[in-house]
Amino acid sequence: MKNFIIALFLGFSAMLQAQNTLSGIVMDKNNQPIKGVSVYASELHKGTATDENGKYTFINLPSGNLKLTFTFVGFGTQNKAITALQKENTLNVILEETIFQMDEVIVSTAFNKIQSQNVMKVEHQSMKELQRKGTATLIEGLATIPGVSQVSTGTSIGKPVIRGLSGNRVLVYSQGVRMENQQFGDEHGLGLNDSGIESVEVIKGPASLLYGSDALGGVLYFNPEKFADANTFKANFSQKLFSNTLGSNSSLGLKTSTDNWKFLARGSYNTHSDYKIANGDRVTNTRYNETDFKTGIGYSNAKFSSVLRYNYNKLDLGIPEDGIAEQTTSKETGFPRQGVFNHLLSLNNVFFFQKSKLDVDLGYVANDRSEFVDSNVAGLHMKLKTFNYDAKYHLPKIGKVESIFGIQGMHQTNTNSGEEYLIPDATTNDFGVFGTANYEWKKNVFQAGLRFDNRQIITVEHGIAGSEGYFKAVDKSFDSFNASLGYKTNLADDLTLRLNLASGFRAPNLAELTSNGVHEGTNRYEVGNSDLKTEQNVQTDVNLEYKNSHFEFFANGFYNHINNYIYTSPTGAVIDNNAVFDYIQNNAKLYGGEIGLHFHPHPLDWLHYETSFETVTGKKENGDFLPLIPANNWNNTIRTEFNIKNWLEDGFATLNLSTTFNQNNVSGFETKSNGYSLVNLGFGGKVKLGKTVFDMNLNGNNLLNKRYIAHLSRLKTDGIPNIGRNVVLGVNFNL
């Protein structure tokens, strides 16, 4: 398969360039040209901006179809599809002023539609929007999206939760490649830095049709930073300061492009002391340091587009063990601590034909994870190496039917070199094949797909039979068929209905199959089960949206039934003062949804009110509640937008009240959690001081210094509260 893909790439690279061109003028509704409109062709990773006459130009375009996005602050986004490009093409566009968020192209779904045309509801958030909320980490920002929360260990480690499902049940994609970093571990975080990321898309529900195993609960799809517009050079520096952790986040990036070639590079450094709770105490050894470097090079012409990206991420994480003990503002981690090195290499290609195209994505992820208990000699040292491939052929459109045929696969090895083994040496191989089709007629869209997957897991025997740390050899194969059906219709001009039915699956991970020892994060002796079956679910989703120029409303509901749900259960036995837990299976169900509105009263164009409520309930077949289910949350925000003449543009001020309710629906070994309300403030915009221009945001999170313990905090069992008041100052300079 690798040789076939490489041959394709080399063959199409040698094709002669065509000379198709596209130009046009972008105007407002009064037919006045708009300068500085961003025009972007996502498949070519190519962008430009309109000149003072509103004109834009592209050269060396493919002969087939092309999608363009026109964006400008204060105007609604226009997404245009051009079919059968000729040698010379003209496309003029009129932008209309708007006060609501832009209608973004969704990359994580099969046909890359804009959200208003998409059959599946996908949450889209730009990093700029998340950073304006002043959160300290990427996962904290994601947890502000309705339906998304986090299992946290202090401020340094956070694992995403989508509608009550987490760990291996949520798949993470970055640079078009699935992230593999031992994500099953309770103390293994996301492993991504928000610098160099453009936006995130959240699929809330089974996405196995496109992504295979581990997408049973949902997908987080991170879109990397765009390249510079053609024939430009850009550099920028950003700095964020955090009062609570005395933290600093610095980032420096540069990028440049010609009509065909493009290059970017970005480095960042993130450092924090122990976080402080409401009474002023610091939680010992929650400090951490992070170094991140991203770079990319791309080339595109009329026949193909190719982008090679690399991401290096180094984490030095303190693991809190003593609670509130030594009080220090040192940023040097103590023991126990983790050292994590992550390398992500991706090659994303699109080959254009006359009426079709081929997407080929290759990825390599190397995750090197060490744990140091009381010295700089690693007791636990795991190396996970993963090669991914993904090829999707977009067939020629037949009438109103678009269709895709694809194959995906993964080869993964895990090796241990420390004295302690958390999981055995193992090899995992995935292979999947799928097809999906999209049919549009009038105001209706119907989408369906079918997929088959196989996962093979082979482990190596280790240790002495009958003793702790013994892993018997396992050779297991897991097969799964999955399907999805979706329907979207416009019930009225401003009212949209989406209905989706989809299945997903997750093969048991190595810990569930082979564990035999004390899990330090939970103080339990866990015993794996090599006879576990594949988790298989079916989820129904309904989404209703109403949107006009001054009012937006949405309501999402879901019901998720999971066969063979895997969880741990106490056996009653005790080994070395640790209760013994077995991995067992039972059917389970989760249900709930999100509801919200965005009101922009006329004629108060500067005022916005947004509110949303989210809820999820998870139960086993016997009626007991599932663990790690987030509490209900009600989020309210008042936002104003303004300009202050001569020194502030695109200004904003926000007042946010986030109310989390009591969580009384707990599993057998959990405790109930009290509710709490947090007040957050934000202010910022584009500041002009003479010739100096920079973006600024100032945020006060948990402004009233509320003492609280989140239900999904892993420090909850020790009675350790979450972070207290945190003031965040961020600036971003274009150099």
Side-chain angles (χ1 to χ4, degrees), residues 136-137 155-157 270-274 286-290 315-318 331 333:
T137 63
T155 56
S156 59
I157 300 173
N270 199 12
T271 181
H272 293 264
S273 301
D274 297 339
T286 54
R287 68 205 75 154
Y288 67 98
N289 303 283
E290 180 182 25
L315 282 167
D316 177 25
L317 300 170
K331 296 180 174 65
T333 56

Side-chain angles (χ1 to χ4, degrees), residues 324-488:
I324 300 169
E326 178 191 12
Q327 296 294 291
T328 176
T329 57
S330 172
K331 296 180 174 65
E332 182 178 350
T333 56
F335 297 110
R337 66 179 181 87
Q338 282 186 11
V340 185
F341 298 86
N342 204 67
H343 303 267
L344 171 59
L345 185 67
S346 64
L347 179 62
N348 311 111
N349 308 282
V350 183
F351 303 103
F352 299 99
F353 308 105
Q354 191 69 27
K355 296 183 179 181
S356 62
K357 67 177 183 178
L358 174 67
D359 294 337
V360 178
D361 297 327
L362 305 176
Y364 176 74
V365 184
N367 179 258
D368 188 315
R369 183 180 299 273
S370 299
E371 187 168 307
F372 306 89
V373 178
D374 52 17
S375 73
N376 287 320
V377 177
L380 175 71
H381 190 188
M382 300 185 294
K383 292 185 178 181
L384 188 70
K385 298 179 180 179
T386 308
F387 171 74
N388 297 294
Y389 60 89
D390 182 355
K392 294 189 288 287
Y393 180 60
H394 298 245
L395 282 73
K397 192 172 182 179
I398 302 175
K400 298 180 179 179
V401 178
E402 298 176 79
S403 53
I404 295 173
F405 173 79
I407 60 171
Q408 284 178 333
M410 178 181 80
H411 174 73
Q412 182 179 87
T413 59
N414 181 77
T415 56
N416 293 271
S417 58
E419 292 184 3
E420 179 186 349
Y421 276 42
L422 183 64
I423 55 176
D425 292 352
T427 301
T428 302
N429 286 293
D430 282 3
F431 178 78
V433 57
F434 70 94
T436 182
N438 190 82
Y439 174 64
E440 295 187 35
W441 76 101
K442 297 182 180 179
K443 297 182 179 181
N444 306 284
V445 184
F446 179 77
Q447 191 171 302
L450 183 66
R451 178 178 179 124
F452 170 77
D453 282 274
N454 171 264
R455 168 167 286 189
Q456 185 179 44
I457 300 176
I458 301 174
T459 72
V460 178
E461 185 179 26
H462 173 77
I464 302 173
S467 63
E468 180 180 352
Y470 171 72
F471 300 101
K472 69 177 183 179
V474 172
D475 188 344
K476 304 286 290 186
S477 182
F478 302 94
D479 296 328
S480 182
F481 282 96
N482 289 280
S484 71
L485 291 171
Y487 174 69
K488 170 194 165 292

Side-chain angles (χ1 to χ4, degrees), residues 163 165 538 558-563 565 586-592 616-626 629:
R163 288 176 169 174
L165 296 177
V538 176
F558 74 94
Y559 179 84
N560 186 5
H561 180 85
I562 306 177
N563 287 326
Y565 183 87
N586 204 329
N587 295 340
K589 60 183 178 181
L590 298 99
Y591 52 89
V616 59
T617 299
K619 291 184 176 181
K620 304 172 190 174
E621 192 172 47
N622 62 6
D624 292 343
F625 291 105
L626 294 176
I629 300 299

